[in-house]
Amino acid sequence: MKHLTDEEILSLATATVEEIPYTEDERNLMEHLKTCKDCYDEFFAAVAVIDTIGSPVEYEETVEETVGSRILAVISVVKDKVSTGIDSVLQQLDQATAAISFMPAMSLATRGTGDYQVNTSRLEDVNDEKTYISFDSGSGQLFVQINTKEIGDENISVTVKYSDGSMREIPMERSGALLMGSIDNLVEGEFKVVVASAD
């Protein structure tokens, strides 16, 4: 059975997310998805990526790290200044199809600094507490740790996508089965963290 190309999957995913009527060729490709699990999984990953970080034009620089690869998780991070100081919110998008299922940690570390609070928000994999993402809204530091023991020894990339379309890759270092990485000085606003593994 011949699989769909990345371009065909991107075209179908874009039309699906943007609710554009399918062409006759695209309808035929959709019929293929009904019988091919591999292509369907890639299509679903493409839909999740386009829905959360924009159209293929906006993220073409990371296509090799996302579409055509396996999306492990997409996290939305909001850093906002509130009346009492700086606050942050982390939330996993498309959790039902993600390979890593994050939930808020049982306790959030909150410490007082002067007249305002600095919140450190943390999401943990519900099945593995060694896999987590934390964000300190005061310093703007994002830390990612992934336990590859449960998901296989794959080439994992972590990319931060800002609302203006710019991106930063988080350099990840290996320590045994753990991959760890962090970046500093994340600006106020909303951005996405995309965790993907190369084929």
Side-chain angles (χ1 to χ4, degrees):
M1 176 186 300
K2 183 180 177 183
H3 293 298
L4 301 186
T5 65
D6 288 346
E7 290 76 17
E8 290 171 330
I9 289 173
L10 278 173
S11 174
L12 286 176
T14 301
T16 301
V17 171
E18 297 181 2
E19 299 181 357
I20 300 171
Y22 296 128
T23 64
E24 184 173 343
D25 286 341
E26 287 172 336
R27 284 195 294 272
N28 291 334
L29 295 177
M30 289 298 286
E31 288 298 317
H32 172 80
L33 292 182
K34 293 180 181 178
T35 59
C36 180
K37 184 181 184 309
D38 289 340
C39 289
Y40 179 80
D41 288 345
E42 287 193 24
F43 165 75
F44 213 74
V47 167
V49 170
I50 293 170
D51 192 39
T52 56
I53 65 173
S55 69
V57 173
E58 294 175 3
Y59 70 87
E60 61 186 349
E61 296 176 34
T62 59
V63 164
E64 290 183 1
E65 297 178 33
T66 54
V67 179
S69 300
R70 187 163 60 115
I71 304 300
L72 302 180
V74 180
I75 308 296
S76 173
V77 182
V78 178
K79 178 183 179 183
D80 194 15
K81 193 165 235 180
V82 294
S83 59
T84 57
I86 302 173
D87 197 12
S88 64
V89 177
L90 279 70
Q91 180 181 16
Q92 181 162 7
L93 303 171
D94 193 33
Q95 188 170 8
T97 60
I100 303 174
S101 298
F102 288 101
M103 294 289 286
M106 291 296 290
S107 62
L108 296 177
T110 304
R111 62 184 188 274
T113 305
D115 295 331
Y116 73 109
Q117 286 187 182
V118 177
N119 289 333
T120 300
S121 301
R122 177 168 159 147
L123 294 180
E124 294 179 352
D125 185 344
V126 293
N127 298 313
D128 180 9
E129 70 279 0
K130 291 182 180 178
T131 295
Y132 65 91
I133 293 176
S134 68
F135 179 63
D136 186 327
S137 56
S139 66
Q141 183 185 54
L142 179 76
F143 179 81
V144 179
Q145 178 173 293
I146 299 170
N147 184 5
T148 61
K149 186 175 181 181
E150 297 300 320
I151 57 177
D153 190 16
E154 303 172 28
N155 184 19
I156 294 173
S157 65
V158 183
T159 306
V160 174
K161 171 76 183 275
Y162 295 101
S163 57
D164 66 1
S166 60
M167 293 171 285
R168 284 175 70 184
E169 183 168 354
I170 300 177
M172 304 295 288
E173 295 183 4
R174 180 172 292 277
S175 175
L178 298 179
L179 280 176
M180 295 173 283
S182 67
I183 54 174
D184 297 315
N185 303 317
L186 289 170
V187 297
E188 189 171 312
E190 183 171 0
F191 48 91
K192 307 287 189 299
V193 179
V194 180
V195 182
S197 66
D199 288 337

